Amino acid sequence: MTKKERALKCVEILKGVYPDALCSLEYENPFELLIATRLSAQCTDARVNLVTPELFSTYKTLDDYANADVRDIERIIHSCGFYHGKARDIIAIATKIRDEFGGRVPDTIEELTSLQGVGRKTANLIVGDVYKKPAVVTDTHLIRITNRIGLADTKDPYKLEIALKKILPPEESNNFCHRIVLFGRDTCSARKPKCDVCPLSEVCKKIM
């Protein structure tokens, strides 16, 4: 079985298991998703979702964020970890979007990664979820699972992104990444994967 054949089969199976491929982060607009994703670095989505209601209700516009006291943002996001850097990034992101992008969250990887603290993982999530363009979000679940089941043989996020774009149907790639996260939480965990009940057992290189 080639990697592309294995990828197509994985897409088909996971669509059946997780028909609703949704991002776990809670948000109401593109900017909120961008900020929530920045907060999720080295932090769980569940924790971010506990923090963002206060953040989003306190700061409603780009001006609010750009003019915020960094210490106030730090207090709100403290439990997300690395809060000094994340607070500075939030203010810088809002300021640049307001001043250089006309108040609109950019829709390209290149423009998004020009924002302070925004890497390709975050940029791909915005491009895919907000603007519905083909995207591959290389989080820890995707890296671990695609290598384990035989879709990839690299743990470098950028190399993995490029490799998966070659074998995943473009229209399925973004939702596939969301489904892999759910699958990683439910079944294919890092320490103790449930191989005996795995829906991908028929195509998993490790099991085969």
Side-chain angles (χ1 to χ4, degrees):
M1 183 180 291
T2 66
K3 287 182 179 179
K4 189 164 189 175
E5 290 170 338
R6 181 174 278 114
L8 292 174
K9 190 64 177 178
C10 288
V11 166
E12 177 187 336
I13 293 171
L14 290 180
K15 283 178 74 173
V17 178
Y18 305 105
D20 299 319
L22 301 174
C23 177
S24 300
L25 295 169
E26 297 172 358
Y27 64 96
E28 293 186 359
N29 58 62
F31 182 76
E32 288 186 355
L33 177 58
L34 179 59
I35 296 307
T37 309
R38 177 66 190 95
L39 290 174
S40 70
Q42 306 297 314
C43 181
T44 65
D45 289 356
R47 168 54 57 185
V48 173
N49 288 338
L50 292 175
V51 167
T52 49
E54 180 181 356
L55 183 68
F56 295 159
S57 63
T58 302
Y59 305 99
K60 298 182 183 300
T61 68
L62 291 175
D63 281 335
D64 290 341
Y65 285 97
N67 298 324
D69 186 324
V70 68
R71 292 169 297 183
D72 291 335
I73 293 182
E74 287 176 347
R75 177 191 60 78
I76 296 172
I77 69 171
H78 184 277
S79 64
C80 288
F82 301 96
Y83 60 94
H84 292 304
K86 290 179 180 180
R88 289 194 300 269
D89 289 349
I90 288 171
I91 293 174
I93 289 168
T95 301
K96 186 165 184 174
I97 290 177
R98 181 193 66 183
D99 296 346
E100 298 184 27
F101 293 108
R104 179 177 183 270
V105 174
D107 63 354
T108 69
I109 299 294
E110 294 72 26
E111 290 175 324
L112 284 162
T113 53
S114 76
L115 299 171
Q116 185 168 306
V118 175
R120 291 188 68 87
K121 171 189 168 185
T122 298
N124 270 287
L125 181 65
I126 298 300
V127 165
D129 274 34
V130 174
Y131 296 108
K132 309 305 178 185
K133 298 180 181 181
V136 174
V137 182
T138 53
D139 71 343
T140 55
H141 289 289
L142 190 75
I143 294 170
R144 180 183 75 254
I145 294 170
T146 54
N147 277 270
R148 179 178 281 169
I149 64 181
L151 295 183
D153 50 17
T154 178
K155 294 185 179 180
D156 177 272
Y158 178 70
K159 290 180 180 178
L160 178 62
E161 177 189 331
I162 300 305
L164 291 179
K165 282 182 177 179
K166 293 178 180 178
I167 62 174
L168 289 171
E171 70 278 8
E172 298 286 355
S173 59
N174 191 56
N175 285 340
F176 175 77
C177 294
H178 286 320
R179 291 183 174 110
I180 282 287
V181 171
L182 298 173
F183 172 64
R185 291 172 180 165
D186 292 346
T187 306
C188 198
S189 63
R191 295 186 179 181
K192 195 175 181 181
K194 302 173 183 176
C195 297
D196 56 326
V197 295
C198 178
L200 298 183
S201 59
E202 65 181 277
V203 292
C204 179
K205 189 174 181 181
K206 178 183 177 183
I207 298 176
M208 293 170 68

